[in-house]
Amino acid sequence: SSDRWETVKADVINIVPMQRAGKLCAIAGVRSDSDKRWCPVNFATYESKTVPNIHVIGDSVLSNMPKSAHVSNNQGKITAAAIIELLADRMPDPLPIIGSTSYSATSDQTSGPIAVVMRYDQEQEVYVRQPGGGGDTVGSELNFEYNKAWFVSMWADTLAA
């Protein structure tokens, strides 16, 4: 037994390993924060701060943003737009905005929405949550229907279906 573990008694235990960007990021040399766990990027382009011309999106990014599918989807759009601008010798948008919307089931018939808008702050090099976001922990049947429609729309947008 390691000193990192303690004795725990429970009916069910879910052990979550330490999170980090994938092995491909390590091989590419972009997993370069001080702990070698995450990928620092330029948030206007999502280009690696360590390896030029490699763009990283999603859960691998070192950031204060939620690790969610909708955030990753928006990061992909910002990255694609930035690459187009860079290939045309133009400056990408220096102050991107990311929205994150999702739904959490509150029962088998109800859901509650979660919505956050984040604006990039160049001076702090972080995304700053904007006022007015938040979630609904109670949920409703109407939001459950919105949840199903959001899910279909999100996957269609992500997979270009």
Side-chain angles (χ1 to χ4, degrees):
S1 164
S2 167
D3 61 357
R4 292 178 56 198
W5 300 94
E6 60 185 76
T7 302
V8 176
K9 292 183 180 185
D11 292 331
V12 176
I13 297 176
N14 182 14
I15 298 174
V16 178
M18 183 180 292
Q19 302 296 295
R20 66 173 182 246
K23 186 174 183 179
L24 179 61
C25 292
I27 292 168
V30 296
R31 197 167 76 187
S32 60
D33 68 324
S34 61
D35 293 329
K36 301 292 187 215
R37 292 179 54 209
W38 304 110
C39 305
V41 298
N42 171 331
F43 288 113
T45 63
Y46 286 87
E47 182 176 17
S48 167
K49 288 186 172 183
T50 309
V51 182
N53 300 315
I54 294 184
H55 299 259
V56 182
I57 63 170
D59 292 358
S60 296
V61 171
L62 175 65
S63 78
N64 65 329
M65 290 181 279
K67 303 236 182 251
S68 75
H70 199 208
V71 168
S72 298
N73 177 287
N74 280 297
Q75 289 173 348
K77 291 173 183 175
I78 290 169
T79 302
I83 290 171
I84 289 168
E85 294 303 306
L86 292 169
L87 290 172
D89 291 324
R90 296 186 301 248
M91 287 297 298
D93 180 357
L95 301 171
I97 297 171
I98 286 188
S100 175
T101 303
S102 62
Y103 289 83
S104 291
T106 52
S107 77
D108 63 346
Q109 301 282 324
T110 61
S111 288
I114 301 167
V116 176
V117 174
M118 296 160 285
R119 182 181 300 272
Y120 182 56
D121 182 315
Q122 284 182 313
E123 289 180 22
Q124 296 182 58
E125 293 189 5
V126 297
Y127 276 85
V128 177
R129 289 181 184 229
Q130 301 301 295
D136 179 358
T137 59
V138 176
S140 70
E141 289 180 5
L142 178 60
N143 278 320
F144 191 74
E145 295 304 314
Y146 290 155
N147 182 354
K148 292 189 287 187
W150 172 87
F151 181 83
V152 170
S153 176
M154 179 67 187
W155 278 108
D157 184 49
T158 300
L159 302 174

